[in-house]
Amino acid sequence: MNFLAHIYLSGNDTFRIIGNFMADVVRGNQYLQYPDKIQKGILLHRFIDFYTDQHPVFRQTKHRLHENYGHYSGVITDMYYDYFLAKNWGKFHQNSLEAFANNFYQLLQEHRDLLPDKIQRMSKHMIADNWLVSYQSIQGMQRILYQMDYRTGFKSKMQFATKELQIWETEMEQEFFQFFQDLQQQCTLKIKELESTF
């Protein structure tokens, strides 16, 4: 899953959200350097990534992309699933996506000192370009995928991946709903587990 799903699946705890958001740059047991509540978010993020990669429905979506995008197909599937979450946001959250995103951006600014330098730099771009709301449209996805392709030296060809999204949107959206229901249930259980062990 990509940023929007990770943030959403963190629930309402500020520090669990921050830990989940910054987890990609925290390697190995470096997470132990952070306060317990941040650790919970990092561990939740790792659980989400592991569960997602192993799930047969996620793999089914990913398989559609493998011929054209190789090992980048998983990253693109993560992006597609954030698109479907954003597109169907009203089914998952009582607040608008715009309000949810603005609350998250404010949270990042208020707790900027907790973020690793790389995440601080990235979050500036995220806020300026309103990434979370951009996931809601094909045009927004096109811009983000182009930026991601640029960072790979255009080797990934991700900028062209909205083509497959439009071709298989109906099928992949159904796969997303099937997968995300499972993931939500597992995250609820994982959060309870983390809360009981710290």
Side-chain angles (χ1 to χ4, degrees):
M1 305 305 293
N2 207 54
F3 293 122
L4 181 59
H6 274 288
I7 296 162
Y8 168 75
L9 291 166
S10 296
N12 296 321
D13 185 273
T14 294
F15 297 102
R16 190 165 61 231
I17 293 169
I18 291 172
N20 194 336
F21 176 67
M22 65 186 242
D24 275 335
V25 303
V26 180
R27 304 301 177 196
N29 64 3
Q30 290 178 351
Y31 77 95
L32 296 170
Q33 302 169 10
Y34 293 94
D36 286 354
K37 288 188 174 184
I38 298 287
Q39 289 184 35
K40 292 175 187 177
I42 295 169
L43 293 174
L44 177 63
H45 181 107
R46 293 178 180 181
F47 169 79
I48 292 169
D49 283 353
F50 177 81
Y51 183 83
T52 298
D53 290 342
Q54 302 302 314
H55 199 285
V57 176
F58 181 87
R59 289 183 171 213
Q60 182 177 337
T61 306
K62 177 181 168 182
H63 181 72
R64 299 176 193 272
L65 305 170
H66 195 269
E67 183 177 352
N68 290 334
Y69 303 103
H71 69 271
Y72 293 103
S73 58
V75 176
I76 296 168
T77 304
D78 284 338
M79 294 294 299
Y80 285 0
Y81 279 19
D82 259 20
Y83 163 73
F84 292 126
L85 176 58
K87 177 184 171 185
N88 296 283
W89 186 253
K91 293 181 171 70
F92 296 99
H93 204 282
Q94 62 184 7
N95 295 334
S96 69
L97 181 57
E98 290 79 6
F100 180 87
N102 287 334
N103 287 339
F104 174 69
Y105 299 151
Q106 184 176 347
L107 181 153
L108 288 182
Q109 291 168 329
E110 289 173 356
H111 300 282
R112 189 171 183 274
D113 58 311
L114 294 172
L115 303 173
D117 291 344
K118 186 175 181 180
I119 297 297
Q120 288 186 19
R121 291 193 297 271
M122 183 194 69
S123 64
K124 288 181 182 178
H125 297 290
M126 171 182 264
I127 295 168
D129 295 333
N130 200 3
W131 289 0
L132 298 183
V133 174
S134 293
Y135 292 139
Q136 210 167 27
S137 69
I138 295 288
Q139 293 78 10
M141 288 286 290
Q142 177 71 56
R143 286 194 301 273
I144 294 169
L145 287 165
Y146 179 87
Q147 291 166 2
M148 293 170 71
D149 198 12
Y150 172 80
R151 289 198 292 273
T152 70
F154 297 108
K155 294 176 183 176
S156 69
K157 302 180 182 177
M158 282 189 279
Q159 63 177 301
F160 304 112
T162 52
K163 178 182 70 176
E164 286 83 0
L165 177 58
Q166 291 172 292
I167 291 171
W168 287 311
E169 182 163 3
T170 300
E171 295 88 345
M172 291 193 296
E173 189 166 20
Q174 291 171 351
E175 291 164 2
F176 162 75
F177 279 119
Q178 184 181 350
F179 161 77
F180 203 65
Q181 182 178 14
D182 291 346
L183 180 59
Q184 284 181 284
Q185 292 171 351
Q186 293 302 314
C187 284
T188 298
L189 295 173
K190 186 63 178 180
I191 289 171
K192 288 180 180 177
E193 176 193 322
L194 289 168
E195 293 299 326
S196 68
T197 55
F198 278 75

